[in-house]
Amino acid sequence: MSIEWYAVHTYVGYEDKVKENLEKRARALGMQDKIFQVLIPTEEIVEHREGGKKETVYRKLFPGYVFVQMDLGDNPEDPNEAWEVVRNTPGVTGVVGTNEGGKYRPVPLTPDEVQRILEVSGLAGRKESPKPQVTFKEGDVVRVVSGPFADFTGVVSEIHPERNKVKVLVSIFGRETPVELDFSQVVRA
């Protein structure tokens, strides 16, 4: 028995449907002893909307891929039925592998790759807190939407995503003054 993880290529945007189809097919064909898990690694992103609203969304880390833990048998030259079930699932366009001597062979992920994918998905170790989505860069003109500097316009001089803060140069009495604001307090002008 050789249980390993494989990267399965899908159409971008169809990852969830492929996961659902693959899990249904594995159950229907009695392949639970060969196909164990189907994973779509995602990360949480905090998006800042107009009006200072925060929204947590999930973004796929590897668009166009799902990861499948399965047993392809001990002979990689002769994949078993699990390979056929995965390969013939609607939406699957291929499996990462090599083509040697005219024969295609799926290649498993390395243990380090698997560990990294499981960690970022929160399935191994600590799950990271949601990352803020930064929608502007240094030099962008922004408008302050809340707080004591509401309705001021300024230029982004520094961005600190780890703290959800941005430093904006605003003109107060004709003089540029650096003001540190929360991401939710500014929008592109």
Side-chain angles (χ1 to χ4, degrees):
M1 187 176 254
S2 176
I3 301 170
E4 300 194 69
W5 285 91
Y6 296 86
V8 176
H9 191 263
T10 70
Y11 296 112
V12 175
Y14 287 82
E15 300 89 353
D16 294 322
K17 193 67 174 164
V18 167
K19 178 181 193 273
E20 182 184 324
N21 287 340
L22 187 51
E23 289 171 341
K24 280 182 186 175
R25 284 175 51 90
R27 277 192 305 275
L29 298 171
M31 298 296 293
Q32 297 94 327
D33 62 332
K34 299 284 185 191
I35 300 172
F36 302 98
Q37 292 184 67
V38 181
L39 177 66
I40 303 170
T42 58
E43 68 178 343
E44 285 183 71
I45 300 287
V46 176
E47 290 184 345
H48 296 278
R49 304 283 186 201
E50 292 243 1
K53 294 180 183 176
K54 292 182 184 180
E55 182 179 327
T56 301
V57 296
Y58 294 90
R59 186 183 79 186
K60 291 177 177 62
L61 291 172
F62 304 97
Y65 289 91
V66 296
F67 297 90
V68 180
Q69 184 186 38
M70 60 183 160
D71 177 10
L72 290 188
D74 295 325
N75 183 4
E77 299 300 319
D78 184 30
N80 63 19
E81 305 86 36
W83 161 241
E84 294 301 321
V85 169
V86 171
R87 194 175 75 149
N88 293 317
T89 296
V92 170
T93 59
V95 176
V96 175
T98 62
N99 193 357
E100 296 171 0
K103 187 160 178 119
Y104 188 80
R105 179 172 74 85
V107 175
L109 300 172
T110 67
D112 288 341
E113 291 170 329
V114 172
Q115 184 64 30
R116 197 178 99 238
I117 289 168
L118 293 176
E119 283 175 358
V120 298
S121 298
L123 298 174
R126 290 184 321 171
K127 182 157 177 93
E128 296 177 9
S129 60
K131 297 177 183 175
Q133 183 176 29
V134 181
T135 59
F136 36 80
K137 61 187 183 309
E138 289 183 22
D140 281 354
V141 177
V142 294
R143 183 174 49 86
V144 181
V145 294
S146 66
F149 299 100
D151 296 325
F152 276 74
T153 301
V155 176
V156 175
S157 65
E158 295 177 26
I159 299 173
H160 302 282
E162 68 284 351
R163 294 181 13 232
N164 290 339
K165 300 285 185 185
V166 61
K167 194 173 281 187
V168 178
L169 298 174
V170 295
S171 180
I172 301 175
F173 303 118
R175 186 173 182 186
E176 280 198 340
T177 305
V179 177
E180 188 170 86
L181 302 164
D182 191 75
F183 283 167
S184 63
Q185 292 180 283
V186 295
V187 294
R188 282 182 185 255

